Amino acid sequence: MSAGQLPRWVDYGLIPLLNLAAAFLVSGLVVVLIGENPLKAVEVLVWGSLGYGEGIGFTLFYATNFIFTGLAVAVAFHAGLFNIGGEGQAYLGGLGVAFACLALDRFVPWYVTLPFAILGSALMGAAWALIPAWLQATRGSHVVITTIMFNFIASSLMVYLLNNVLKKPGSMQSETRTFEEGGRLPFLNDIFPSFGFGYAPVNLSLFVALAACVLVWLLIWRTKLGFEIRSYGANASAAVYAGISPVRTIVLTMLISGGLAGMMAINEIMGSQHRLLIDFVTGYGFVGIAVALMGRAHPVGIVLAAVLFGMLYQGGAELSFEMPNITRDMIIVIQGLVILFAGALEHMFRPAIGRFFTPSRALMAKEA
Amino acid sequence: MFETLILILDSTVRLSTPLLLACLAGLYSERSGVVDIGLEGKMLGAAFGAGTVAYLTANAWLGLLAGIGVSVGLGLVHGFASITNRGNQIVSGVAINFLAAGLTALLGQTWFRQGGRTPALPEGGRFRDIVWPFAEEMRGIPVIGPIYSELLSGHNILVYAAFLAVPLTWWVLFRTRFGLRLRAVGESPAAVDTAGISVTWLRYRAVVGCGALCGFAGAYLSIAQGAGFGVNMTAGKGFIALAALIFAKWRPASAMLTCLLFGFLDAIAIRMQGQEIPGIGEVPVQFFQALPYILTVILLAGFIGKATPPKAAGIPYVKERS
């Protein structure tokens, strides 16, 4: 059954919701398995993530990360590429942010540093995606495998840099020095005290993320390059016949994708941690895959999916506090289930739903 | 100097074993056209299953069986998603890695309350090293003695099983009817289908075989090499095995050599920590850790030979379309 045979609202609304429901149902079974009440768990999770100002703040903070990595995966999806290297690209993006902040933080205010940090993170993320992109475009090595390899190379490289090159002198920690005021983005709580975000690290980069959503939408659906990307993704050989250069499309798409993944570091490094440290990415790059899948590679869907995953992260933290049996690892389980049901098993419910819709269509055909 | 070399080679064998088992696992799956980046997750799940059952029953064999069971179960999930439902194999693999990482830590903490670890295994819960006959007596003989008593003797049964699995895999893949069909279905499923052989059933058997071998790999980590399960104890070994599989160009004997090479790099990295190489200076340990991945990327780029995957790898088979 092909996608075109179902109404749009089924394709973009009902089926993703069903997949999500299946994922949460199985998650609920896991909660039962470890001897807790799943309804109570949902209540804690929702309250912990949306019930009060600081919880909302944390949810939005995590959502900011997921918007960036989700957009990164989505842009590549449109060209039929699978960028699984968000993890490494975001890690290197942190290096770009740190360079900008370490160089400027003592001399200029944050709003002068920010453009350089954005530029730095995007450049470093894009640079880390360039080699896999170029190898896929010209030498035929598959981007999935090379980006996985690059995740590990990035990890080794960053451990080396943070231990040997960038380390704060006289410190035992593998991290750079803490940035001064000029290298810190203002927290939203300081700008809008009335929201009561409290100690939540949600910061101005949320707006950078939302701006990135608009730009990605414009890029994919309103520019020539976006058209080329979508054409190439829909049918690569037809696109080549139409005069679209595969090398140019692959490389440009992956550069944009890597740049977006790299920008995740603005939120973590300049917005929250205020220093470059080991392992600050911890899976956000991979979650981007789930976010892009659930958001159907559309910026609006990605924002919604990112907020949902933000809720899982923040609500999950609350959950492990309220119900100590359910550790934070539960979030990873839920993520796995969401990726499984919304991604790998996305067609599972389609035939059944298709049967449900066919009779009415046959009727329509008769009337016509 | 010779002693040092023997010691490094000895730990090379120990470090290569889980890679080799996982690499052969991936070999079956990918030769049948099912790409598997969930090797890591299956290994981790198996390590947990093996560690848990070996702790509860004090029986290493039951542990191994449980490890295989968990891993085959995860393999069947992968098969259901990517063969039956024609889902994206990469996405399914990522999901399995997430599921295994989360569930093992969560259940480990719920059941044992030791931060996700299993308690230390009781006597009988581990595969012990097997000392070959006359190993002690031969130790004194120059050259042959250390090779026999250190390098060949004194490993646990899973190590020998892993290296025996190499010729066995070769025989299965290249000398049996099943192997011929398995390789064919990875290259041209439509042709196999036309010949009246079920693509689905072949691929499911490959996925189950992959799961079983990942089960051995995981069990090796938790109940042979280690003495219990630890959170995320695979630490990327599944991905190194994947890299090794590509580096070996999907061939069993090359897989063994590649895993030995990657294990050797690991052994060297541990050995060389903080030591200077004359003329070069101190090489950062991270360089050795990254080397397998760097080598694989260079190979994939076709600069040192060419790695051509099975043609149908990663593509779900749709009957109507062909």
Side-chain angles (χ1 to χ4, degrees):
Chain A
M1 179 118 350
S2 73
Q5 285 169 286
L6 292 175
R8 269 175 72 95
W9 67 270
V10 174
D11 249 343
Y12 291 96
L14 187 62
I15 287 181
L17 275 181
L18 274 179
N19 291 328
L20 202 60
F24 283 122
L25 200 71
V26 179
S27 312
L29 291 179
V30 174
V31 173
V32 173
L33 186 69
I34 55 178
E36 293 283 354
N37 180 350
L39 292 177
K40 179 86 196 324
V42 171
E43 194 188 314
V44 172
L45 199 140
V46 172
W47 187 83
S49 55
L50 297 177
Y52 59 104
E54 198 171 282
I56 297 174
F58 270 102
T59 299
L60 290 176
F61 170 72
Y62 293 122
T64 310
N65 286 336
F66 300 140
I67 292 175
F68 282 123
T69 54
L71 283 177
V73 177
V75 167
F77 267 168
H78 280 289
L81 297 167
F82 208 137
N83 179 13
I84 211 162
E87 203 75 7
Q89 290 145 14
Y91 214 166
L92 266 283
L95 200 60
V97 174
F99 283 154
C101 292
L102 288 172
L104 296 171
D105 64 343
R106 289 179 175 151
F107 312 108
V108 294
W110 64 266
Y111 47 84
V112 180
T113 314
L114 180 61
F116 290 97
I118 293 177
L119 202 68
S121 63
L123 277 180
M124 293 303 286
W128 206 244
L130 174 66
I131 303 169
W134 181 77
L135 289 177
Q136 155 120 24
T138 62
R139 322 262 332 172
S141 40
H142 205 284
V143 87
V144 168
I145 301 295
T146 31
T147 47
I148 292 177
M149 302 296 138
F150 266 67
N151 283 342
F152 285 98
I153 300 172
S155 169
S156 293
L157 178 68
M158 293 296 278
V159 171
Y160 172 73
L161 287 178
L162 281 168
N163 275 317
N164 301 56
V165 183
L166 295 165
K167 193 165 155 172
K168 178 169 57 179
S171 162
M172 292 302 286
Q173 305 288 332
S174 324
E175 56 188 39
T176 63
R177 69 170 171 83
T178 306
F179 308 148
E180 304 293 328
E181 281 303 309
R184 300 176 181 192
L185 281 177
F187 292 118
L188 286 193
N189 194 50
D190 299 334
I191 310 173
F192 311 109
S194 55
F195 284 168
F197 286 146
Y199 290 106
V202 58
N203 56 74
L204 270 187
S205 47
L206 174 61
F207 297 106
V208 180
L210 293 175
C213 283
V214 176
L215 289 175
V216 165
W217 182 80
L218 283 173
L219 168 82
I220 298 290
W221 282 280
R222 286 292 179 274
T223 65
K224 181 163 169 281
L225 178 64
F227 177 75
E228 291 179 350
I229 289 175
R230 282 183 294 131
S231 312
Y232 187 79
N235 188 335
S237 43
V240 174
Y241 272 110
I244 293 169
S245 155
V247 174
R248 180 174 172 267
T249 313
I250 292 175
V251 170
L252 281 180
T253 309
M254 283 299 288
L255 285 181
I256 296 166
S257 177
L260 284 165
M263 282 165 71
M264 189 218 95
I266 302 168
N267 187 39
E268 279 288 332
I269 298 303
M270 194 181 177
S272 165
Q273 303 284 356
H274 304 144
R275 64 200 199 281
L276 182 58
L277 68 171
I278 292 276
D279 279 342
F280 72 89
V281 190
T282 56
Y284 295 124
F286 282 119
V287 180
I289 298 168
V291 170
L293 284 171
M294 264 187 60
R296 297 271 151 151
H298 191 285
V300 175
I302 286 169
V303 172
L304 294 175
V307 169
L308 182 83
F309 274 93
M311 284 173 64
L312 283 181
Y313 262 63
Q314 164 56 16
E318 204 75 30
L319 197 59
S320 61
F321 188 70
E322 292 281 324
M323 302 167 104
N325 268 344
I326 308 178
T327 58
R328 295 209 63 170
D329 302 300
M330 186 68 214
I331 315 167
I332 301 173
V333 177
I334 299 177
Q335 276 170 40
L337 289 167
V338 169
I339 296 176
L340 186 69
F341 282 98
L345 289 169
E346 62 170 338
H347 301 309
M348 193 166 66
F349 296 117
R350 197 179 286 276
I353 292 173
R355 273 196 294 281
F356 188 74
F357 276 92
T358 329
S360 66
R361 305 203 138 220
L363 221 67
M364 270 160 57
K366 213 180 280 172
E367 280 166 14
Chain B
M1 185 60 207
F2 183 70
E3 283 291 303
T4 318
L5 183 70
I6 289 292
L7 283 179
I8 291 179
L9 289 179
D10 185 51
S11 58
T12 298
V13 169
R14 285 166 203 277
L15 293 165
S16 308
T17 301
L19 299 182
L20 181 55
L21 287 164
C23 187
L24 292 174
L27 186 68
Y28 281 98
S29 183
E30 303 216 341
R31 277 285 188 167
S32 82
V34 180
V35 169
D36 193 358
I37 64 168
L39 293 175
E40 174 87 1
K42 276 187 269 188
M43 253 166 108
L44 192 62
F48 179 70
T52 303
V53 170
Y55 166 71
L56 294 175
T57 63
N59 186 329
W61 291 100
L62 288 179
L64 174 66
L65 217 58
I68 293 172
V70 172
S71 177
V72 168
L74 288 171
L76 286 175
V77 172
H78 187 53
F80 179 67
S82 58
I83 304 170
T84 305
N85 278 289
R86 294 171 202 148
N88 188 312
Q89 297 169 7
I90 306 291
V91 175
S92 168
V94 171
I96 281 167
N97 289 338
F98 267 93
L99 270 181
L103 277 176
T104 53
L106 186 68
L107 294 178
Q109 171 63 20
T110 311
W111 291 342
F112 303 113
R113 313 217 167 266
Q114 295 191 5
R117 278 177 292 120
T118 54
L121 297 179
E123 190 58 42
R126 280 185 76 185
F127 285 110
R128 290 289 171 189
D129 292 346
I130 298 166
V131 179
W132 286 16
F134 310 115
E136 279 316 305
E137 289 81 350
M138 291 199 38
R139 199 174 286 273
I141 304 171
V143 185
I144 304 170
I147 289 180
Y148 182 81
S149 54
E150 280 290 334
L151 200 53
L152 295 178
S153 161
H155 295 290
N156 60 68
I157 191 156
L158 294 186
V159 175
Y160 300 116
F163 285 89
L164 280 178
V166 176
L168 186 72
T169 301
W170 175 84
W171 183 78
V172 167
L173 279 180
F174 296 97
R175 285 294 176 273
T176 67
R177 183 199 302 232
F178 169 71
L180 178 70
R181 290 174 173 178
L182 191 77
R183 284 181 293 132
V185 81
E187 297 291 337
S188 171
V192 173
D193 195 20
T194 312
I197 303 156
S198 166
V199 172
T200 309
W201 172 226
L202 261 174
R203 287 195 169 165
Y204 262 107
R205 276 183 285 174
V207 166
V208 168
C210 168
L213 278 165
C214 277
F216 277 90
Y220 176 80
L221 292 177
S222 64
I223 63 172
Q225 190 183 35
F229 174 83
V231 172
N232 194 26
M233 78 181 310
T234 45
K237 286 191 184 62
F239 290 103
I240 296 233
L242 192 69
L245 179 61
I246 297 160
F247 204 78
K249 302 174 183 177
W250 295 271
R251 289 191 207 123
S254 318
M256 183 181 73
L257 294 177
T258 308
C259 289
L260 283 170
L261 170 69
F262 288 1
F264 180 70
L265 288 175
D266 212 4
I268 290 275
I270 298 167
R271 190 95 196 160
M272 295 300 282
Q273 218 152 5
Q275 286 187 1
E276 302 241 337
I277 297 176
I280 308 173
E282 192 183 324
V283 178
V285 64
Q286 290 84 17
F287 175 73
F288 289 106
Q289 285 164 356
L291 205 52
Y293 304 112
I294 297 172
L295 284 175
T296 307
V297 170
I298 295 174
L299 175 89
L300 276 168
F303 294 120
I304 37 171
K306 190 96 183 95
T308 320
K311 249 199 208 82
I315 309 161
Y317 177 61
V318 184
K319 214 179 179 115
E320 302 91 291
R321 206 179 287 156
S322 35

